[in-house]
Amino acid sequence: MTATTFQLTTLIADLPGVEQMTVEATQHLGLRCVADLLLHLPMRYQHTRPWQAIGPIIDATTEQATAEDHVEVRGEVVSVKRGFGRTPKVEVVIDDPTGDITLVFFNQPWIQRRLHPGQKLAAIGTPRAYRSSVQMANPTWRALDDDAVLIPPSDASDLVQIQPVYPASEAIASPRLAAVIQSCLDQAVALLEDHLTDAWRRDRNLPTLADAYLHLHRPDFDDQIASARRRLVLDELLMLQLAVMMKRHHRRTALHAQMLARTEQVQRRIESRIPFELTTAQRRVIDEIAQDLESSIPMNRLLQGDVGSGKTVVALAAMLQAVAHGKQAALVAPTELLAEQHARTLQALLRDSEVKLCLLTGSVAAARRSRLVNDIATGDVNIVVGTHAVLTEDVIFADLAIAVTDEQHRFGVRQRAALRDKSGDQLHAPHQLVMTATPIPRTLSLTIFGDLDYSVLDELPPGRTPVETVSVTAAEAHAVYDDLAQAVGRGERGYVVAAVIDESESGLVDLHSHLEWLRNGPLQHCRIEALHGRMDTDTRESIMERFRRGELDVLVATTVIEVGVDVPEATRIVIENADRFGLAQLHQLRGRVGRGSCPGRCVLIADPSTDEGQRRIEAMVETTDGFRIAERDLEIRGPGELFGARQSGIPPFRVARLPRDMELLSLARRDAEAWIDADPLLQAPEHALLRKRMLKAHGRWLGLGDVG
Ligand code: ADP
Ligand code: MG
């Protein structure tokens, strides 16, 4: 291949000197072309002094008592043997003219096939005396050419060399990967065009895109790594923020919504529907929303309120503001169970009013469904409650003014805009309110939901006491259920949660066997039923209804009850295999109790097998404050997995890590805001490449296609 045909899209297979085996191994890592190699960044760096650190083997084996750092030895393989012991290991003895050393590879049985006597290799590790020999455990190693020099020349310098260590695999070790990357690095970075201007970089003292990649793959100094990383992180966050700001700008300038003026009369009528004294927080948030609704700029507001904070009536108030103007409102829920419950709650609040409300879920029979769809299209229905899938399929509203999405801790950023009405006007949009019980750390919500305005219900209705939470081991389960039986005897109600429905090899407590056990054992005097997502709606409804009315004492359920189920009389929840649930999930489950004036109690049964599981349990016992839980979740898991971020379609960060890179996020946000203010569609010629790359990264999930 000639230099002129080399491109970033050139396949690894077409690079000179790369064998088939390497090509396949890189493919397994998801690497196909030169650009993929560039983007495959080192996970850490190893500092070696190339020759000074490479001693003859005799030095490594005699100085090992003081060897703290890694040293490199080079030798010829003498023998390759499988070793014995609890962990599978392969022992490889290498020698040079001065002595020998044993390399011990734990849990890497394939080494036995890879190495053979006579082969030369370099190994980096820490030598340690073991019995009569000197060993290096799990060294990094690479094959050397047959004519490689084993003992360093006498004039070796003591320059420190920084070696990148790459995420690698069984099939290809980091040094081999490094060699492939190095072989095309100079050519590759020469092709990189920077999408940020020289002025921007100079102001922030950051390298070009080309230098950033060069320095990460081949650093001369540690400082270079730090500033290269800074450049790429800022870059990545900037792209995201630009996309989000562009979307925001579009919404605020191009789109328009119904103006729903709030008169005193409307307000009184709305308030008369609410059977209790609103909390100060509810009042404030209802006001914030009402103001948004008066404007022709489509509202895009995120309402955060911990479980039980009373989001439903806030949603009702917002929807009634639309209904008062003869427009329609929709409430979208993540599960049928929750949609059913919302419909029931709202019906009760709207009893004897003119407002027509309907429930539309996947379980509604075809004939009824088509009638409802028709009523929605003609405007005969004012408020539609339904599940996501159902409300987006073929449901066209006559005049939809507001869509409320109750997502609990699931986010569906992508689906949010999908509700349609008949206006046929592309630029017409309903007001949107997204409610979540997941307290997103403020910092994170800014990043991901930068396009959202933000309200918080930071106050629980009066009379609530925090749920008491304890954790016990499986061995103590019996006592827990005896206690539950006693509580039931006093008239309390409770939930028992199992992680799986059917018995399986997982060893997890399953709903069916557990129900049997409870029925015949500790809860034999209780009225008890199962509840799970595989039941048909009628069965589920009737069980929920019986539980609500107090005709059942205990529900043995899967996580179907995690979202939104509201039975204020339930005071107890027992969660089996609690370490298997995510923290947000546990917090939601716990939120099922302590919703009324009676104090709630949550028991987590677990014998955590992982450190993370243990930490989740500890966090739950430690606090009932949703915001603290969310912060802990962020610490334990990192934001990648957080709050179903993946489902939302937000591309995962490649280099940025939050909350570690928070400071850079603020910088990115400031820049993005200023740029979009000055050039809303990034149409300036110097932004052309930036715009192209930004749309490629974020255009789809944010639905920026319509922005231009
Ligand atoms: P969530 O925010 O979890 O959706 P809900 O809207 O389901 O909370 O409200 C939880 C419970 O608290 C419901 O039974 C509701 O009727 C009740 N509630 C809400 N607001 C108040 C209030 N201001 N005073 C008393 N009870 C309230
Ligand atoms: Mg709710």
Side-chain angles (χ1 to χ4, degrees), residues 644-657:
R646 203 179 277 163
Q647 283 137 287
S648 70
I650 301 158
F653 289 129
R654 244 171 9 85
V655 278
R657 292 286 172 271

Side-chain angles (χ1 to χ4, degrees), residues 443-681:
T443 50
L444 203 67
S445 70
L446 275 184
T447 344
I448 302 176
F449 302 104
D451 180 35
L452 297 179
D453 295 309
Y454 179 89
S455 296
V456 200
L457 283 179
D458 48 6
E459 182 187 351
L460 294 177
R464 305 281 170 82
T465 42
V467 179
E468 178 196 6
T469 307
V470 294
S471 102
V472 302
T473 63
E476 299 161 88
H478 212 289
V480 170
Y481 290 112
D482 288 343
D483 184 54
L484 177 59
Q486 280 179 20
V488 168
R490 290 190 301 266
E492 297 184 35
R493 271 172 253 171
Y495 306 95
V496 174
V497 180
V500 292
I501 300 181
D502 301 309
E503 192 169 353
S504 69
E505 282 164 18
S506 62
L508 299 178
V509 171
D510 70 276
L511 188 145
H512 289 312
S513 337
H514 199 50
L515 179 68
E516 279 312 296
W517 180 75
L518 291 170
R519 263 191 181 141
N520 299 313
L523 301 187
Q524 52 186 310
H525 301 299
C526 306
R527 295 164 300 172
I528 164 174
E529 278 299 343
L531 187 78
H532 58 76
R534 291 213 306 255
M535 291 172 154
D536 64 61
T537 323
D538 291 345
T539 318
R540 201 168 58 207
E541 265 287 82
S542 92
I543 292 175
M544 269 317 294
E545 190 51 36
R546 283 161 65 204
F547 183 66
R548 213 173 266 125
R549 288 210 210 110
E551 295 165 15
L552 289 172
D553 306 310
V554 176
L555 289 183
V556 182
T558 55
T559 53
V560 284
I561 62 155
E562 124 195 22
V563 279
V565 167
D566 181 35
V567 179
E569 296 83 7
T571 51
R572 302 272 178 147
I573 185 163
V574 178
I575 306 174
E576 291 279 353
N577 299 116
D579 58 317
R580 295 306 186 97
F581 297 96
L583 204 38
Q585 228 175 1
L586 288 172
H587 182 63
Q588 288 294 321
L589 286 169
R590 174 168 59 186
R592 297 310 112 221
V593 300
R595 298 173 78 81
S597 46
C598 284
R601 183 177 162 85
C602 167
V603 183
L604 307 169
I605 302 185
D607 297 301
S609 55
T610 64
D611 181 46
E612 279 192 21
Q614 176 66 36
R615 288 168 65 192
R616 289 195 292 266
I617 303 276
E618 283 167 10
M620 285 290 292
V621 173
E622 186 186 295
T623 180
T624 54
D625 176 341
F627 278 87
R628 297 246 321 265
I629 294 268
E631 296 283 355
R632 290 297 299 272
D633 204 28
L634 192 61
E635 283 164 32
I636 296 173
R637 294 201 287 180
E641 285 291 313
L642 205 66
F643 315 126
R646 203 179 277 163
Q647 283 137 287
S648 70
I650 301 158
F653 289 129
R654 244 171 9 85
V655 278
R657 292 286 172 271
L658 295 172
R660 191 179 70 186
D661 292 318
M662 219 45 236
E663 173 239 335
L664 294 177
L665 177 63
S666 316
L667 276 180
R669 205 175 160 77
R670 263 211 311 274
D671 276 350
E673 231 166 335
W675 289 14
I676 296 296
D677 268 355
D679 181 9
L681 295 178

